[in-house]
Amino acid sequence: MSSRTVVISGASIAGPALAFWLHRRGMRPVVVERAPQLRPGGQTVDIRGAGETVARLMGIEDAIRAGSTGEEGLRFLDTAERTKAVFPSSVFSGKGFVTELEILRGELSALLYERTRDHAEYVFGDEISGVTEDGERLRLTFTSGAEREADLLVAADGIRSRTRDLIFGDSTRIRSRGLYTAYFTIPRHPSDGSWARWYNFPGGKTAMLRPDNLGTTRALMSFLSPPYGYDRLHQEEQKELIRHTFAGEGGPVPRMLREMRDCGDFYLEGVAQVHMPQWWRGRVAAVGDAAYCASPLSGMGTNLALVGAYILAGELATHDDHHHAFTAYENAMRPYVTQAQDLPPGTPRLAMPRTQLGIKALHTVLRTASTPLAGRVMRRFLVPAAYDFVLPAYPTR
Ligand SMILES: Cc1cc2nc3c(=O)[nH]c(=O)nc-3n(C[C@H](O)[C@H](O)[C@H](O)COP(=O)(O)OP(=O)(O)OC[C@H]3O[C@@H](n4cnc5c(N)ncnc54)[C@H](O)[C@@H]3O)c2cc1C
């Protein structure tokens, strides 16, 4: 039973991490990625708590540290570039917004791919278009026309997972968190330094600049909005939406809008969470954002992907019956996911006031929170809750 073939849909974080653990536990992983090659984009992701332990068990903790963006912390500024609050990365014992272990998503994905490419089969530029189960095996068809058999299938293809939707239909709920964020990379200016910088604008808008370790600067522009489907617009329409939304704002905005025009990796997303009543059906399970996206607001997405992959592979190695394995995976993982998805009350509205007066009040609160005593009280708002999760141990082979 341990030589099961497991097809995994998606090669970002959850997919390659699962391939790593399946191989380690004696199974045969096949990873199918829709993009023609590994996707390089994305901004900084944080590795925390149990995610850090999994990274250590995988032997990649030092490589993550070596590839760290090295941000010194986060500064809140007004549009006249006056600092309003400062949170060094060491504050909250390195567990706050900027953690001591953080890396660009594309770099982490490449690292996981490098560690698994010799032990897993990777298929790029294809996706699963149909799944049938004949009792003992799964029969998969692909958009390329290819066909394959597998013992199990795992959807690791992100928040809009097509593989998940093929199997679970509309039982999945994608819950909007009431904002959109545009991500893109811009040339580094000498003034960008080594701190992340956060700016608020009236109307519930924020801009962030985060220097990376590759000599560029990562830009984020967010605005509060109900889910209007902006993520389905063409890229030029999305850029126009950002230009229109931020028109006339000061601080770094004119530069950001200018440099957004020619950036190579613009991406706009409606920030949301995924809630599934059950993470498996028959011979198919889901992991990472596909099953339980907690949204970038949680600071937990990559940790859930790493930990979910570790537990799913561990349970599959422990149980001959995949129903028992999937049930044990869900039982072990659910409390961690529930905690990670439980965002502090008022997220994200409290951090994105609609008025100038509200922005002033936010700066006052943040300045107070950055002092050691008040920081303890504000911890619930500034440190993700899911730090207490105890990782199950699985026998090594
Ligand atoms: C390009 C990119 C940029 C990102 N940038 C950020 C960021 O800046 N900040 C942040 O917090 N999070 C970002 N994320 C999300 C972050 O990676 C996840 O929240 C977290 O790491 C969990 O990862 P995941 O592997 O479960 O899902 P994801 O990282 O979303 O990966 C899903 C993978 O599945 C692939 N895929 C999609 N559909 C199919 C299909 N039908 N068949 C096969 N493959 C498919 C995608 O191309 C992708 O490689 C980004 C993700 C991607 C793909």
PDB file of all heavy atoms in Angstrom, residues 9-15 32-35 39 41-45 105 126-128 156-159 162-163 183 287-290 296 301-302 305, ligand 1:
ATOM      1  N   SER A   9      -2.328  18.218  -7.963  1.00  0.00           N
ATOM      2  CA  SER A   9      -2.569  19.305  -8.899  1.00  0.00           C
ATOM      3  C   SER A   9      -2.090  20.619  -8.297  1.00  0.00           C
ATOM      4  O   SER A   9      -2.617  21.051  -7.270  1.00  0.00           O
ATOM      5  CB  SER A   9      -4.077  19.357  -9.183  1.00  0.00           C
ATOM      6  OG  SER A   9      -4.380  20.508  -9.894  1.00  0.00           O
ATOM      7  N   GLY A  10      -1.065  21.251  -8.914  1.00  0.00           N
ATOM      8  CA  GLY A  10      -0.547  22.521  -8.406  1.00  0.00           C
ATOM      9  C   GLY A  10       0.872  22.392  -7.893  1.00  0.00           C
ATOM     10  O   GLY A  10       1.168  21.545  -7.051  1.00  0.00           O
ATOM     11  N   ALA A  11       1.770  23.253  -8.428  1.00  0.00           N
ATOM     12  CA  ALA A  11       3.191  23.204  -8.037  1.00  0.00           C
ATOM     13  C   ALA A  11       3.640  24.569  -7.528  1.00  0.00           C
ATOM     14  O   ALA A  11       4.480  25.220  -8.134  1.00  0.00           O
ATOM     15  CB  ALA A  11       4.047  22.774  -9.222  1.00  0.00           C
ATOM     16  N   SER A  12       3.059  25.000  -6.414  1.00  0.00           N
ATOM     17  CA  SER A  12       3.506  26.266  -5.823  1.00  0.00           C
ATOM     18  C   SER A  12       4.198  25.954  -4.500  1.00  0.00           C
ATOM     19  O   SER A  12       5.406  25.741  -4.449  1.00  0.00           O
ATOM     20  CB  SER A  12       2.302  27.187  -5.621  1.00  0.00           C
ATOM     21  OG  SER A  12       2.625  28.332  -4.884  1.00  0.00           O
ATOM     22  N   ILE A  13       3.429  25.878  -3.397  1.00  0.00           N
ATOM     23  CA  ILE A  13       4.010  25.545  -2.094  1.00  0.00           C
ATOM     24  C   ILE A  13       3.457  24.199  -1.605  1.00  0.00           C
ATOM     25  O   ILE A  13       4.225  23.252  -1.353  1.00  0.00           O
ATOM     26  CB  ILE A  13       3.690  26.647  -1.044  1.00  0.00           C
ATOM     27  CG1 ILE A  13       4.132  28.025  -1.548  1.00  0.00           C
ATOM     28  CG2 ILE A  13       4.346  26.290   0.297  1.00  0.00           C
ATOM     29  CD1 ILE A  13       5.617  28.185  -1.800  1.00  0.00           C
ATOM     30  N   ALA A  14       2.120  24.097  -1.491  1.00  0.00           N
ATOM     31  CA  ALA A  14       1.517  22.874  -0.941  1.00  0.00           C
ATOM     32  C   ALA A  14       1.869  21.654  -1.798  1.00  0.00           C
ATOM     33  O   ALA A  14       2.189  20.585  -1.264  1.00  0.00           O
ATOM     34  CB  ALA A  14      -0.004  23.035  -0.847  1.00  0.00           C
ATOM     35  N   GLY A  15       1.820  21.804  -3.141  1.00  0.00           N
ATOM     36  CA  GLY A  15       2.058  20.674  -4.046  1.00  0.00           C
ATOM     37  C   GLY A  15       3.456  20.089  -3.889  1.00  0.00           C
ATOM     38  O   GLY A  15       3.617  18.908  -3.548  1.00  0.00           O
ATOM     39  N   VAL A  32       1.191  17.975 -11.190  1.00  0.00           N
ATOM     40  CA  VAL A  32       0.728  18.565 -12.452  1.00  0.00           C
ATOM     41  C   VAL A  32       0.509  20.055 -12.236  1.00  0.00           C
ATOM     42  O   VAL A  32      -0.235  20.449 -11.338  1.00  0.00           O
ATOM     43  CB  VAL A  32      -0.613  17.922 -12.885  1.00  0.00           C
ATOM     44  CG1 VAL A  32      -1.068  18.492 -14.222  1.00  0.00           C
ATOM     45  CG2 VAL A  32      -0.490  16.411 -12.945  1.00  0.00           C
ATOM     46  N   GLU A  33       1.177  20.876 -13.032  1.00  0.00           N
ATOM     47  CA  GLU A  33       1.057  22.338 -12.889  1.00  0.00           C
ATOM     48  C   GLU A  33       0.519  22.917 -14.197  1.00  0.00           C
ATOM     49  O   GLU A  33       1.048  22.644 -15.267  1.00  0.00           O
ATOM     50  CB  GLU A  33       2.428  22.941 -12.541  1.00  0.00           C
ATOM     51  CG  GLU A  33       2.564  24.442 -12.697  1.00  0.00           C
ATOM     52  CD  GLU A  33       1.612  25.270 -11.825  1.00  0.00           C
ATOM     53  OE1 GLU A  33       1.477  24.981 -10.633  1.00  0.00           O
ATOM     54  OE2 GLU A  33       1.005  26.211 -12.369  1.00  0.00           O
ATOM     55  N   ARG A  34      -0.498  23.746 -14.077  1.00  0.00           N
ATOM     56  CA  ARG A  34      -1.129  24.328 -15.266  1.00  0.00           C
ATOM     57  C   ARG A  34      -0.182  25.273 -16.013  1.00  0.00           C
ATOM     58  O   ARG A  34      -0.179  25.315 -17.244  1.00  0.00           O
ATOM     59  CB  ARG A  34      -2.384  25.096 -14.831  1.00  0.00           C
ATOM     60  CG  ARG A  34      -3.142  25.686 -15.981  1.00  0.00           C
ATOM     61  CD  ARG A  34      -4.493  26.192 -15.569  1.00  0.00           C
ATOM     62  NE  ARG A  34      -4.401  27.238 -14.557  1.00  0.00           N
ATOM     63  CZ  ARG A  34      -5.440  27.754 -13.919  1.00  0.00           C
ATOM     64  NH1 ARG A  34      -6.652  27.296 -14.165  1.00  0.00           N
ATOM     65  NH2 ARG A  34      -5.292  28.703 -13.036  1.00  0.00           N
ATOM     66  N   ALA A  35       0.621  26.041 -15.277  1.00  0.00           N
ATOM     67  CA  ALA A  35       1.544  26.985 -15.924  1.00  0.00           C
ATOM     68  C   ALA A  35       2.636  26.205 -16.660  1.00  0.00           C
ATOM     69  O   ALA A  35       2.966  25.086 -16.280  1.00  0.00           O
ATOM     70  CB  ALA A  35       2.165  27.897 -14.870  1.00  0.00           C
ATOM     71  N   ARG A  39       5.891  28.950 -11.368  1.00  0.00           N
ATOM     72  CA  ARG A  39       5.541  30.379 -11.398  1.00  0.00           C
ATOM     73  C   ARG A  39       6.451  31.151 -10.443  1.00  0.00           C
ATOM     74  O   ARG A  39       6.538  30.843  -9.272  1.00  0.00           O
ATOM     75  CB  ARG A  39       4.077  30.555 -11.022  1.00  0.00           C
ATOM     76  CG  ARG A  39       3.177  29.922 -12.069  1.00  0.00           C
ATOM     77  CD  ARG A  39       1.736  30.042 -11.694  1.00  0.00           C
ATOM     78  NE  ARG A  39       1.311  31.425 -11.630  1.00  0.00           N
ATOM     79  CZ  ARG A  39       0.087  31.795 -11.270  1.00  0.00           C
ATOM     80  NH1 ARG A  39      -0.809  30.890 -10.933  1.00  0.00           N
ATOM     81  NH2 ARG A  39      -0.250  33.062 -11.248  1.00  0.00           N
ATOM     82  N   GLY A  41       6.392  34.475  -9.494  1.00  0.00           N
ATOM     83  CA  GLY A  41       5.948  35.714  -8.835  1.00  0.00           C
ATOM     84  C   GLY A  41       5.621  35.566  -7.364  1.00  0.00           C
ATOM     85  O   GLY A  41       5.763  34.511  -6.752  1.00  0.00           O
ATOM     86  N   GLY A  42       5.152  36.670  -6.807  1.00  0.00           N
ATOM     87  CA  GLY A  42       4.690  36.673  -5.423  1.00  0.00           C
ATOM     88  C   GLY A  42       5.588  37.476  -4.519  1.00  0.00           C
ATOM     89  O   GLY A  42       6.744  37.743  -4.839  1.00  0.00           O
ATOM     90  N   GLN A  43       5.043  37.854  -3.404  1.00  0.00           N
ATOM     91  CA  GLN A  43       5.758  38.708  -2.470  1.00  0.00           C
ATOM     92  C   GLN A  43       6.244  37.885  -1.284  1.00  0.00           C
ATOM     93  O   GLN A  43       6.299  36.665  -1.358  1.00  0.00           O
ATOM     94  CB  GLN A  43       4.831  39.842  -2.068  1.00  0.00           C
ATOM     95  CG  GLN A  43       4.192  40.481  -3.303  1.00  0.00           C
ATOM     96  CD  GLN A  43       4.167  41.974  -3.295  1.00  0.00           C
ATOM     97  OE1 GLN A  43       4.396  42.580  -2.266  1.00  0.00           O
ATOM     98  NE2 GLN A  43       3.906  42.582  -4.419  1.00  0.00           N
ATOM     99  N   THR A  44       6.552  38.581  -0.221  1.00  0.00           N
ATOM    100  CA  THR A  44       7.120  37.912   0.943  1.00  0.00           C
ATOM    101  C   THR A  44       6.073  37.052   1.642  1.00  0.00           C
ATOM    102  O   THR A  44       4.955  37.492   1.856  1.00  0.00           O
ATOM    103  CB  THR A  44       7.611  38.985   1.929  1.00  0.00           C
ATOM    104  OG1 THR A  44       8.434  39.880   1.208  1.00  0.00           O
ATOM    105  CG2 THR A  44       8.386  38.375   3.063  1.00  0.00           C
ATOM    106  N   VAL A  45       6.438  35.824   1.993  1.00  0.00           N
ATOM    107  CA  VAL A  45       5.564  34.987   2.828  1.00  0.00           C
ATOM    108  C   VAL A  45       6.310  34.670   4.127  1.00  0.00           C
ATOM    109  O   VAL A  45       7.539  34.605   4.152  1.00  0.00           O
ATOM    110  CB  VAL A  45       5.124  33.692   2.094  1.00  0.00           C
ATOM    111  CG1 VAL A  45       4.221  34.018   0.908  1.00  0.00           C
ATOM    112  CG2 VAL A  45       6.307  32.851   1.656  1.00  0.00           C
ATOM    113  N   ARG A 105       7.731  34.305  -2.073  1.00  0.00           N
ATOM    114  CA  ARG A 105       6.997  33.075  -2.389  1.00  0.00           C
ATOM    115  C   ARG A 105       7.645  32.315  -3.544  1.00  0.00           C
ATOM    116  O   ARG A 105       7.792  31.087  -3.513  1.00  0.00           O
ATOM    117  CB  ARG A 105       5.528  33.384  -2.735  1.00  0.00           C
ATOM    118  CG  ARG A 105       4.687  32.121  -2.909  1.00  0.00           C
ATOM    119  CD  ARG A 105       3.638  32.296  -3.989  1.00  0.00           C
ATOM    120  NE  ARG A 105       4.231  32.501  -5.288  1.00  0.00           N
ATOM    121  CZ  ARG A 105       4.454  31.526  -6.182  1.00  0.00           C
ATOM    122  NH1 ARG A 105       4.123  30.295  -5.915  1.00  0.00           N
ATOM    123  NH2 ARG A 105       5.022  31.788  -7.353  1.00  0.00           N
ATOM    124  N   ASP A 126      -0.195  21.579 -18.130  1.00  0.00           N
ATOM    125  CA  ASP A 126      -1.368  20.713 -18.323  1.00  0.00           C
ATOM    126  C   ASP A 126      -2.239  20.796 -17.073  1.00  0.00           C
ATOM    127  O   ASP A 126      -1.778  21.244 -16.020  1.00  0.00           O
ATOM    128  CB  ASP A 126      -0.924  19.263 -18.562  1.00  0.00           C
ATOM    129  CG  ASP A 126      -1.919  18.505 -19.446  1.00  0.00           C
ATOM    130  OD1 ASP A 126      -3.016  19.043 -19.714  1.00  0.00           O
ATOM    131  OD2 ASP A 126      -1.587  17.381 -19.869  1.00  0.00           O
ATOM    132  N   GLU A 127      -3.502  20.414 -17.194  1.00  0.00           N
ATOM    133  CA  GLU A 127      -4.358  20.379 -16.008  1.00  0.00           C
ATOM    134  C   GLU A 127      -5.388  19.272 -16.134  1.00  0.00           C
ATOM    135  O   GLU A 127      -5.702  18.822 -17.247  1.00  0.00           O
ATOM    136  CB  GLU A 127      -5.033  21.732 -15.757  1.00  0.00           C
ATOM    137  CG  GLU A 127      -6.021  22.159 -16.797  1.00  0.00           C
ATOM    138  CD  GLU A 127      -6.646  23.518 -16.480  1.00  0.00           C
ATOM    139  OE1 GLU A 127      -7.062  23.742 -15.330  1.00  0.00           O
ATOM    140  OE2 GLU A 127      -6.730  24.346 -17.405  1.00  0.00           O
ATOM    141  N   ILE A 128      -5.870  18.844 -15.004  1.00  0.00           N
ATOM    142  CA  ILE A 128      -6.835  17.735 -14.972  1.00  0.00           C
ATOM    143  C   ILE A 128      -8.192  18.258 -15.419  1.00  0.00           C
ATOM    144  O   ILE A 128      -8.659  19.291 -14.926  1.00  0.00           O
ATOM    145  CB  ILE A 128      -6.897  17.144 -13.544  1.00  0.00           C
ATOM    146  CG1 ILE A 128      -5.550  16.508 -13.211  1.00  0.00           C
ATOM    147  CG2 ILE A 128      -8.023  16.128 -13.418  1.00  0.00           C
ATOM    148  CD1 ILE A 128      -5.322  16.275 -11.744  1.00  0.00           C
ATOM    149  N   ALA A 156      -4.032  20.810  -4.953  1.00  0.00           N
ATOM    150  CA  ALA A 156      -3.159  21.788  -4.275  1.00  0.00           C
ATOM    151  C   ALA A 156      -3.023  22.986  -5.204  1.00  0.00           C
ATOM    152  O   ALA A 156      -1.959  23.591  -5.314  1.00  0.00           O
ATOM    153  CB  ALA A 156      -1.797  21.165  -3.971  1.00  0.00           C
ATOM    154  N   ASP A 157      -4.138  23.298  -5.900  1.00  0.00           N
ATOM    155  CA  ASP A 157      -4.062  24.309  -6.950  1.00  0.00           C
ATOM    156  C   ASP A 157      -4.702  25.634  -6.562  1.00  0.00           C
ATOM    157  O   ASP A 157      -5.278  26.329  -7.395  1.00  0.00           O
ATOM    158  CB  ASP A 157      -4.600  23.778  -8.292  1.00  0.00           C
ATOM    159  CG  ASP A 157      -5.899  23.008  -8.163  1.00  0.00           C
ATOM    160  OD1 ASP A 157      -6.361  22.817  -7.029  1.00  0.00           O
ATOM    161  OD2 ASP A 157      -6.466  22.610  -9.193  1.00  0.00           O
ATOM    162  N   GLY A 158      -4.587  25.976  -5.283  1.00  0.00           N
ATOM    163  CA  GLY A 158      -4.854  27.349  -4.878  1.00  0.00           C
ATOM    164  C   GLY A 158      -6.316  27.692  -4.666  1.00  0.00           C
ATOM    165  O   GLY A 158      -7.211  26.868  -4.803  1.00  0.00           O
ATOM    166  N   ILE A 159      -6.530  28.962  -4.336  1.00  0.00           N
ATOM    167  CA  ILE A 159      -7.854  29.424  -3.894  1.00  0.00           C
ATOM    168  C   ILE A 159      -8.937  29.171  -4.948  1.00  0.00           C
ATOM    169  O   ILE A 159     -10.078  28.867  -4.609  1.00  0.00           O
ATOM    170  CB  ILE A 159      -7.765  30.920  -3.489  1.00  0.00           C
ATOM    171  CG1 ILE A 159      -9.076  31.430  -2.916  1.00  0.00           C
ATOM    172  CG2 ILE A 159      -7.313  31.798  -4.619  1.00  0.00           C
ATOM    173  CD1 ILE A 159      -8.946  32.784  -2.220  1.00  0.00           C
ATOM    174  N   ARG A 162      -9.470  24.447  -9.629  1.00  0.00           N
ATOM    175  CA  ARG A 162     -10.404  23.826 -10.569  1.00  0.00           C
ATOM    176  C   ARG A 162     -10.570  22.344 -10.234  1.00  0.00           C
ATOM    177  O   ARG A 162     -11.644  21.772 -10.394  1.00  0.00           O
ATOM    178  CB  ARG A 162      -9.844  24.011 -11.985  1.00  0.00           C
ATOM    179  CG  ARG A 162     -10.845  23.633 -13.005  1.00  0.00           C
ATOM    180  CD  ARG A 162     -10.442  24.008 -14.415  1.00  0.00           C
ATOM    181  NE  ARG A 162     -11.355  23.288 -15.296  1.00  0.00           N
ATOM    182  CZ  ARG A 162     -11.054  22.876 -16.494  1.00  0.00           C
ATOM    183  NH1 ARG A 162      -9.868  23.134 -16.989  1.00  0.00           N
ATOM    184  NH2 ARG A 162     -11.931  22.218 -17.212  1.00  0.00           N
ATOM    185  N   THR A 163      -9.483  21.735  -9.782  1.00  0.00           N
ATOM    186  CA  THR A 163      -9.531  20.317  -9.422  1.00  0.00           C
ATOM    187  C   THR A 163     -10.513  20.106  -8.264  1.00  0.00           C
ATOM    188  O   THR A 163     -11.318  19.172  -8.269  1.00  0.00           O
ATOM    189  CB  THR A 163      -8.122  19.844  -9.025  1.00  0.00           C
ATOM    190  OG1 THR A 163      -7.212  20.296 -10.025  1.00  0.00           O
ATOM    191  CG2 THR A 163      -8.046  18.346  -8.904  1.00  0.00           C
ATOM    192  N   TYR A 183      -0.611  43.440  -6.527  1.00  0.00           N
ATOM    193  CA  TYR A 183       0.799  43.151  -6.209  1.00  0.00           C
ATOM    194  C   TYR A 183       1.625  43.372  -7.472  1.00  0.00           C
ATOM    195  O   TYR A 183       1.226  42.925  -8.549  1.00  0.00           O
ATOM    196  CB  TYR A 183       0.987  41.682  -5.820  1.00  0.00           C
ATOM    197  CG  TYR A 183       0.116  41.168  -4.701  1.00  0.00           C
ATOM    198  CD1 TYR A 183      -1.118  40.590  -4.963  1.00  0.00           C
ATOM    199  CD2 TYR A 183       0.550  41.219  -3.380  1.00  0.00           C
ATOM    200  CE1 TYR A 183      -1.920  40.088  -3.942  1.00  0.00           C
ATOM    201  CE2 TYR A 183      -0.232  40.716  -2.356  1.00  0.00           C
ATOM    202  CZ  TYR A 183      -1.465  40.152  -2.633  1.00  0.00           C
ATOM    203  OH  TYR A 183      -2.249  39.658  -1.625  1.00  0.00           O
ATOM    204  N   VAL A 287      -5.522  20.298  -0.184  1.00  0.00           N
ATOM    205  CA  VAL A 287      -4.505  20.774   0.765  1.00  0.00           C
ATOM    206  C   VAL A 287      -4.136  22.222   0.417  1.00  0.00           C
ATOM    207  O   VAL A 287      -4.298  22.657  -0.724  1.00  0.00           O
ATOM    208  CB  VAL A 287      -3.264  19.829   0.728  1.00  0.00           C
ATOM    209  CG1 VAL A 287      -2.517  19.958  -0.591  1.00  0.00           C
ATOM    210  CG2 VAL A 287      -2.318  20.058   1.888  1.00  0.00           C
ATOM    211  N   GLY A 288      -3.669  22.970   1.405  1.00  0.00           N
ATOM    212  CA  GLY A 288      -3.227  24.352   1.155  1.00  0.00           C
ATOM    213  C   GLY A 288      -4.402  25.271   0.844  1.00  0.00           C
ATOM    214  O   GLY A 288      -5.531  25.042   1.290  1.00  0.00           O
ATOM    215  N   ASP A 289      -4.114  26.324   0.072  1.00  0.00           N
ATOM    216  CA  ASP A 289      -5.149  27.322  -0.239  1.00  0.00           C
ATOM    217  C   ASP A 289      -6.387  26.701  -0.880  1.00  0.00           C
ATOM    218  O   ASP A 289      -7.496  27.204  -0.710  1.00  0.00           O
ATOM    219  CB  ASP A 289      -4.590  28.390  -1.197  1.00  0.00           C
ATOM    220  CG  ASP A 289      -3.881  29.515  -0.443  1.00  0.00           C
ATOM    221  OD1 ASP A 289      -3.665  29.378   0.780  1.00  0.00           O
ATOM    222  OD2 ASP A 289      -3.551  30.528  -1.085  1.00  0.00           O
ATOM    223  N   ALA A 290      -6.223  25.641  -1.646  1.00  0.00           N
ATOM    224  CA  ALA A 290      -7.376  25.002  -2.307  1.00  0.00           C
ATOM    225  C   ALA A 290      -8.403  24.556  -1.268  1.00  0.00           C
ATOM    226  O   ALA A 290      -9.609  24.641  -1.492  1.00  0.00           O
ATOM    227  CB  ALA A 290      -6.903  23.802  -3.131  1.00  0.00           C
ATOM    228  N   PRO A 296      -4.092  36.398   2.724  1.00  0.00           N
ATOM    229  CA  PRO A 296      -2.829  37.038   3.152  1.00  0.00           C
ATOM    230  C   PRO A 296      -2.992  37.825   4.453  1.00  0.00           C
ATOM    231  O   PRO A 296      -2.012  38.077   5.153  1.00  0.00           O
ATOM    232  CB  PRO A 296      -2.501  37.983   1.986  1.00  0.00           C
ATOM    233  CG  PRO A 296      -3.221  37.423   0.814  1.00  0.00           C
ATOM    234  CD  PRO A 296      -4.466  36.778   1.350  1.00  0.00           C
ATOM    235  N   GLY A 301      -0.907  31.556   5.336  1.00  0.00           N
ATOM    236  CA  GLY A 301      -1.177  30.703   4.175  1.00  0.00           C
ATOM    237  C   GLY A 301      -0.090  29.681   3.889  1.00  0.00           C
ATOM    238  O   GLY A 301      -0.372  28.502   3.676  1.00  0.00           O
ATOM    239  N   THR A 302       1.159  30.127   3.906  1.00  0.00           N
ATOM    240  CA  THR A 302       2.259  29.227   3.561  1.00  0.00           C
ATOM    241  C   THR A 302       2.465  28.185   4.659  1.00  0.00           C
ATOM    242  O   THR A 302       2.798  27.029   4.392  1.00  0.00           O
ATOM    243  CB  THR A 302       3.532  30.053   3.303  1.00  0.00           C
ATOM    244  OG1 THR A 302       3.233  30.935   2.207  1.00  0.00           O
ATOM    245  CG2 THR A 302       4.707  29.195   2.942  1.00  0.00           C
ATOM    246  N   ALA A 305      -0.061  25.496   4.272  1.00  0.00           N
ATOM    247  CA  ALA A 305       0.307  24.623   3.147  1.00  0.00           C
ATOM    248  C   ALA A 305       1.404  23.633   3.567  1.00  0.00           C
ATOM    249  O   ALA A 305       1.313  22.434   3.287  1.00  0.00           O
ATOM    250  CB  ALA A 305       0.778  25.470   1.963  1.00  0.00           C
TER     251      ALA A 305
HETATM  252  C1  LIG B   1       2.086  33.451  -8.556  1.00  0.00           C
HETATM  253  C2  LIG B   1       1.634  33.492  -7.108  1.00  0.00           C
HETATM  254  C3  LIG B   1       1.897  34.629  -6.332  1.00  0.00           C
HETATM  255  C4  LIG B   1       1.499  34.669  -4.991  1.00  0.00           C
HETATM  256  N1  LIG B   1       1.809  35.783  -4.243  1.00  0.00           N
HETATM  257  C5  LIG B   1       1.499  35.817  -2.941  1.00  0.00           C
HETATM  258  C6  LIG B   1       1.863  36.933  -2.133  1.00  0.00           C
HETATM  259  O1  LIG B   1       2.443  37.881  -2.615  1.00  0.00           O
HETATM  260  N2  LIG B   1       1.510  36.936  -0.816  1.00  0.00           N
HETATM  261  C7  LIG B   1       0.847  35.873  -0.263  1.00  0.00           C
HETATM  262  O2  LIG B   1       0.569  35.907   0.928  1.00  0.00           O
HETATM  263  N3  LIG B   1       0.501  34.814  -1.002  1.00  0.00           N
HETATM  264  C8  LIG B   1       0.800  34.749  -2.326  1.00  0.00           C
HETATM  265  N4  LIG B   1       0.429  33.667  -3.077  1.00  0.00           N
HETATM  266  C9  LIG B   1      -0.351  32.617  -2.440  1.00  0.00           C
HETATM  267  C10 LIG B   1       0.510  31.727  -1.552  1.00  0.00           C
HETATM  268  O3  LIG B   1       1.459  31.031  -2.327  1.00  0.00           O
HETATM  269  C11 LIG B   1      -0.413  30.752  -0.839  1.00  0.00           C
HETATM  270  O4  LIG B   1      -1.325  31.478  -0.025  1.00  0.00           O
HETATM  271  C12 LIG B   1       0.242  29.765   0.102  1.00  0.00           C
HETATM  272  O5  LIG B   1       1.633  29.688  -0.031  1.00  0.00           O
HETATM  273  C13 LIG B   1      -0.349  28.372  -0.107  1.00  0.00           C
HETATM  274  O6  LIG B   1       0.084  27.894  -1.352  1.00  0.00           O
HETATM  275  P1  LIG B   1      -0.653  26.800  -2.239  1.00  0.00           P
HETATM  276  O7  LIG B   1       0.435  26.002  -2.869  1.00  0.00           O
HETATM  277  O8  LIG B   1      -1.694  26.110  -1.462  1.00  0.00           O
HETATM  278  O9  LIG B   1      -1.454  27.653  -3.340  1.00  0.00           O
HETATM  279  P2  LIG B   1      -0.909  28.658  -4.461  1.00  0.00           P
HETATM  280  O10 LIG B   1       0.352  29.292  -4.034  1.00  0.00           O
HETATM  281  O11 LIG B   1      -2.028  29.531  -4.840  1.00  0.00           O
HETATM  282  O12 LIG B   1      -0.537  27.695  -5.695  1.00  0.00           O
HETATM  283  C14 LIG B   1      -1.444  27.069  -6.539  1.00  0.00           C
HETATM  284  C15 LIG B   1      -0.693  26.498  -7.738  1.00  0.00           C
HETATM  285  O13 LIG B   1      -1.605  25.735  -8.524  1.00  0.00           O
HETATM  286  C16 LIG B   1      -1.477  26.107  -9.890  1.00  0.00           C
HETATM  287  N5  LIG B   1      -2.763  25.855 -10.526  1.00  0.00           N
HETATM  288  C17 LIG B   1      -3.883  26.620 -10.523  1.00  0.00           C
HETATM  289  N6  LIG B   1      -4.874  25.986 -11.161  1.00  0.00           N
HETATM  290  C18 LIG B   1      -4.388  24.788 -11.581  1.00  0.00           C
HETATM  291  C19 LIG B   1      -4.941  23.689 -12.277  1.00  0.00           C
HETATM  292  N7  LIG B   1      -6.226  23.672 -12.665  1.00  0.00           N
HETATM  293  N8  LIG B   1      -4.143  22.607 -12.521  1.00  0.00           N
HETATM  294  C20 LIG B   1      -2.836  22.593 -12.126  1.00  0.00           C
HETATM  295  N9  LIG B   1      -2.264  23.640 -11.468  1.00  0.00           N
HETATM  296  C21 LIG B   1      -3.029  24.706 -11.193  1.00  0.00           C
HETATM  297  C22 LIG B   1      -1.070  27.577  -9.843  1.00  0.00           C
HETATM  298  O14 LIG B   1      -0.450  27.969 -11.054  1.00  0.00           O
HETATM  299  C23 LIG B   1      -0.121  27.569  -8.656  1.00  0.00           C
HETATM  300  O15 LIG B   1       1.175  27.203  -9.047  1.00  0.00           O
HETATM  301  C24 LIG B   1       0.799  33.576  -4.425  1.00  0.00           C
HETATM  302  C25 LIG B   1       0.531  32.461  -5.208  1.00  0.00           C
HETATM  303  C26 LIG B   1       0.934  32.394  -6.533  1.00  0.00           C
HETATM  304  C27 LIG B   1       0.652  31.157  -7.365  1.00  0.00           C
END
